[in-house]
Amino acid sequence: MKILISGNPEFGFAKALYELYPDAEFMSRTTGHDLVTRDGREAFAERAAEMDVVVVNAALWQFQQTVLLDSVYKACRERDTAPYIIVVGSTTDRVKNGRAWLYNAEKKALRDYANTLAMGGVWTPGMPKVTLISFGTLSNNQHKHPDRTCMPIDEAAEYVRWLISRPSSVNINEISIDPVQEKPQ
């Protein structure tokens, strides 16, 4: 199985995925592909069209993760290929707290677009299947949230492996996973 993952295999969630899929191909700034540039997105999308599974994983800013998903999906459609696209989002897409924080709006846009594309894989033969998997705070960000229960990052990566192992006859459109918060003592 040919797998392409956006992200640095030595850092964060991409590193946890690398532990599960050491033969996967990773593309990021550290591998010479800046995915926030047009050239970087196009290179990633071209490569994605040749894969069985594509994991769009990154905390890219200024809606670039959504733009990267769009590039991948369009490249696959143009080449008439249908890899399984897994998009890693964040449960912050549900936050409505009145703060001026663009990150949660970016993740809401990503969620909406991934859900739109997922319907193509359900209703139109030969279209890429798309799944959005969103996590609450992962253990690699424990230092930012010392009072929060965080999900172990390797456990989160196991959910991606679980998705990849699902039968091709189904599409899991969306999964949202939050670690249960401990009650204060």
Side-chain angles (χ1 to χ4, degrees), residues 111-151:
R111 178 183 185 204
D112 184 60
Y113 195 53
N115 279 314
T116 297
L117 297 179
M119 291 299 98
V122 170
W123 293 102
T124 307
M127 298 281 277
K129 291 189 329 178
V130 178
T131 297
L132 175 74
I133 185 164
S134 298
F135 298 105
T137 307
L138 298 177
S139 58
N140 64 320
N141 285 313
Q142 182 74 62
H143 64 283
K144 294 179 185 176
H145 308 283
D147 297 332
R148 191 179 292 178
T149 300
C150 296
M151 176 181 285

Side-chain angles (χ1 to χ4, degrees), residues 42-60:
E42 287 177 1
F44 186 84
E46 293 285 325
R47 195 71 184 116
E50 301 169 2
M51 297 290 156
D52 300 308
V53 176
V54 179
V55 181
V56 179
N57 160 63
L60 300 175

Side-chain angles (χ1 to χ4, degrees), residues 10 41 65 105 151 158 178 180:
E10 297 177 4
R41 281 191 309 274
Q65 191 177 11
M151 176 181 285
E158 285 292 338
D178 283 301
V180 174

Side-chain angles (χ1 to χ4, degrees), residues 164-178:
I164 291 170
S165 71
R166 296 303 88 207
S168 62
S169 60
V170 299
N171 188 58
I172 298 169
N173 302 322
E174 181 178 354
I175 295 178
S176 181
I177 305 169
D178 283 301

